[in-house]
Amino acid sequence: MRQYIIFTILLLSGLSVYSQPTPEQTGSIYYAYPAPPEVYTPAPEGYEPFYISHYGRHGSRWMTADERYIEVLHVFDSLYQRSELTPLGIDVRKRLQQVWEDARGKSGNITPLGERQQHEIAGRMYHNFPQVFRGDAFIDARSSTSLRCAMSMSYFTEHLKELNPALHVDRRAYQRYMDYIAYTSPEGEKFSSGKAPWRRDFRDFEKKNVRPERLMASLFVNPDAITNQDALMRGIYWIAADMQNVDIDVTFYDIFRYEELAGIWKTVNARMYVCNAGAPLNGGLMPRCAIPLLRNIVESAETAIKEGTPAADLRFGHDTHLIRLLTLMQVEGCSNQETDMEKFHLAWQDYRVSPMGANLQLIFFRNKKNEILVKLLLNENEVNLPLESHTGPYYPWETVKAFFKEQLKQDETEIHPATHSPLSEDTDY
């Protein structure tokens, strides 16, 4: 009973309940989309869904550039020619060659698993809220100009059309939508840069947690020949993490000790937390980059409520922008604050908030009196807002709208369209 009370207090306070990550979860934002729950809290009597507002990260993908594979494989090839690989190193080189053959020329693109993720998320949305997709309902879909996002939009909406061919779906991936789908302020770009003052302490944190000596000695006859062991270890770590996103039977987790994976993850998680989430170190600067996106969500919902269309607004973007949005909205477990870098991973976990295929869904319900409730799903899990509700995860829209508008009042700067790029996610490695 005492444990239940403590757990309830943690949930009500918005704190995440930390558990040691699995090896796959130590892959950070490369963690493949987890299976969602099968049971949800029923809507209050008399309410049925009529509108969905959504922001989704692209599905699983290969790493963002061919060079990220080539640089690691080049080290192994060079030392193999000089007979300086250990037996394990020779075996790892063979695995890397298999990985490269699969990834060559596909870097940055959505994988077959990513296609299936979008297909399945769309299918569950359709079957969980069929009233939204009746008849010739209008679906407005907008994407980042990044190809993986546009393809995610395509796979998602294609399945909706398969389920109901009468749906009217408008799909667009224009540069003009980047001002809210993938916006970063000039101040945010500067804060996130490698020259930012906070990076000095962060580099010390990295040195403490990234320990490549044992791994290098297991792979190379003369590990001292590797001039930047930290960088090589990270390169192998990212390839290892991405194996869960591709359809080849290769793993690298056997060459790592768990504490080595966890150490690297803590550094990645810390940087994602500082550059995107609720870390006091950023003074709220990075979550405020999501103000244009939150404004679009509120205004689009108001239009849908008043005019009856569209039935759904679907947005497809990137991990960093979703993380900032969730922090700005103060979604349960997403806006936690911690000042001690050694404890960042206890307060906030990137793999929980934004795995591959991550998504936020706002489901709107209406009764015959035209009273409107909204429920939030993060990665298809019901989540709470720091607001009072007498109907579980269902909140009066007017209350939620007023709360969101308070967050929008933080906007004191002009939006500068030139400060973003189609790949402005890329702290999404």
Side-chain angles (χ1 to χ4, degrees):
M1 181 67 180
R2 182 174 179 271
Q3 288 180 328
Y4 173 79
I5 293 172
I6 292 173
F7 181 74
T8 302
I9 291 172
L10 286 169
L11 288 179
L12 292 175
S13 64
L15 295 176
S16 59
V17 181
Y18 176 76
S19 60
Q20 185 169 277
T22 65
E24 289 77 17
Q25 289 171 333
T26 65
S28 176
I29 51 174
Y30 276 31
Y31 180 45
Y33 194 72
E38 296 182 0
V39 179
Y40 292 102
T41 305
E45 186 176 356
Y47 284 86
E48 73 170 32
F50 71 97
Y51 169 66
I52 295 175
S53 184
H54 155 280
Y55 186 98
R57 184 189 179 194
H58 56 75
S60 286
R61 57 161 173 73
W62 285 277
M63 294 201 301
T64 49
D66 280 2
E67 289 72 24
R68 299 186 59 202
Y69 299 94
I70 294 171
E71 289 169 356
V72 173
L73 187 55
H74 176 72
V75 173
F76 281 82
D77 284 346
S78 297
L79 294 179
Y80 177 77
Q81 295 299 326
R82 304 205 300 262
S83 300
E84 293 185 8
L85 295 182
T86 67
L88 179 60
I90 293 171
D91 181 62
V92 169
R93 175 176 176 263
K94 291 179 181 178
R95 295 186 231 176
L96 289 169
Q97 289 175 324
Q98 186 178 350
V99 169
W100 170 236
E101 182 56 34
D102 173 71
R104 180 172 52 85
K106 303 174 185 176
S107 296
N109 290 309
I110 190 170
T111 65
L113 174 60
E115 298 174 21
R116 296 194 296 273
Q117 288 164 350
Q118 297 298 329
H119 186 277
E120 291 166 2
I121 295 168
R124 288 189 293 267
M125 179 186 285
Y126 183 94
H127 291 296
N128 287 334
F129 311 107
Q131 300 91 333
V132 175
F133 302 100
R134 290 171 177 161
D136 60 349
F138 174 53
I139 311 300
D140 193 284
R142 298 291 180 263
S143 169
S144 158
T145 53
S146 168
L147 180 59
R148 57 182 165 269
C149 297
M151 292 303 295
S152 293
M153 174 177 67
S154 177
Y155 293 125
F156 193 107
T157 55
E158 177 183 49
H159 190 48
L160 291 178
K161 287 282 286 183
E162 290 171 349
L163 293 167
N164 178 6
L167 287 175
H168 175 68
V169 180
D170 187 51
R171 290 177 283 229
R172 296 290 183 268
Y174 297 152
Q175 189 72 24
R176 65 185 298 174
Y177 304 126
M178 296 294 280
D179 288 343
Y180 64 87
I181 284 179
Y183 177 73
T184 301
S185 68
E187 296 80 10
E189 295 278 8
K190 183 177 180 181
F191 177 83
S192 301
S193 73
K195 296 181 180 179
W198 65 270
R199 293 274 185 176
R200 289 192 293 270
D201 290 340
F202 178 69
R203 282 189 280 271
D204 292 337
F205 181 70
E206 285 185 306
K207 290 177 182 178
K208 180 179 178 180
N209 283 280
V210 181
R211 306 303 299 269
E213 297 83 8
R214 186 211 62 83
L215 179 64
M216 296 297 111
S218 73
L219 299 172
F220 308 116
V221 174
N222 179 21
D224 291 338
I226 308 300
T227 57
N228 192 337
Q229 295 186 6
D230 284 18
L232 180 59
M233 185 180 189
R234 286 178 178 279
I236 301 172
Y237 159 87
W238 284 116
I239 293 173
D242 199 44
M243 290 301 94
Q244 61 191 294
N245 296 297
V246 299
D247 288 344
I248 58 173
D249 187 20
V250 176
T251 183
F252 295 91
Y253 283 140
D254 60 300
I255 72 173
F256 289 94
R257 289 180 177 168
Y258 177 81
E259 58 268 24
E260 293 168 343
L261 291 170
I264 298 176
W265 167 69
K266 286 178 183 178
T267 69
V268 178
N269 184 74
R271 189 168 43 71
M272 294 294 290
Y273 179 54
V274 172
C275 289
N276 301 289
L281 195 55
N282 70 43
L285 175 64
M286 303 314 295
R288 285 199 298 274
C289 292
I291 283 176
L293 178 54
L294 180 56
R295 181 181 295 113
N296 177 264
I297 288 171
V298 172
E299 292 176 351
S300 298
E302 286 294 280
T303 298
I305 290 168
K306 291 175 183 177
E307 300 181 6
T309 56
D313 280 298
L314 308 177
R315 307 166 188 85
F316 296 85
H318 306 279
D319 64 333
T320 55
H321 307 288
L322 176 58
I323 291 169
R324 295 168 188 175
L325 174 67
L326 294 167
T327 306
L328 182 66
M329 294 169 68
Q330 298 185 38
V331 170
E332 173 187 353
C334 297
S335 59
N336 303 339
Q337 297 198 337
E338 174 59 63
T339 58
D340 185 350
M341 197 171 292
E342 297 289 346
K343 298 179 180 178
F344 283 176
H345 69 288
L346 302 177
W348 186 88
Q349 301 87 38
D350 50 10
Y351 61 79
R352 182 180 56 81
V353 177
S354 189
M356 294 286 188
N359 59 93
L360 172 68
Q361 300 176 27
L362 287 79
I363 317 298
F364 288 74
F365 296 77
R366 183 162 48 197
N367 64 11
K368 292 181 179 180
K369 296 180 181 179
N370 206 33
E371 296 167 326
I372 296 172
L373 299 177
V374 62
K375 175 172 74 170
L376 277 69
L377 302 179
L378 173 57
N379 302 327
E380 300 176 83
N381 292 276
E382 292 176 344
V383 287
N384 296 315
L385 293 171
L387 300 171
E388 184 177 352
S389 173
H390 302 292
T391 51
Y394 296 85
Y395 297 88
W397 169 239
E398 290 300 316
T399 302
V400 173
K401 180 174 66 173
F403 175 69
F404 287 166
K405 286 188 174 181
E406 283 298 313
Q407 313 314 309
L408 295 177
K409 288 180 181 178
Q410 301 179 56
D411 188 14
E412 299 175 352
T413 59
E414 179 183 357
I415 299 300
H416 302 276
T419 62
H420 60 68
S421 73
L423 297 180
S424 61
E425 69 177 318
D426 281 316
T427 41
D428 176 350
Y429 294 81

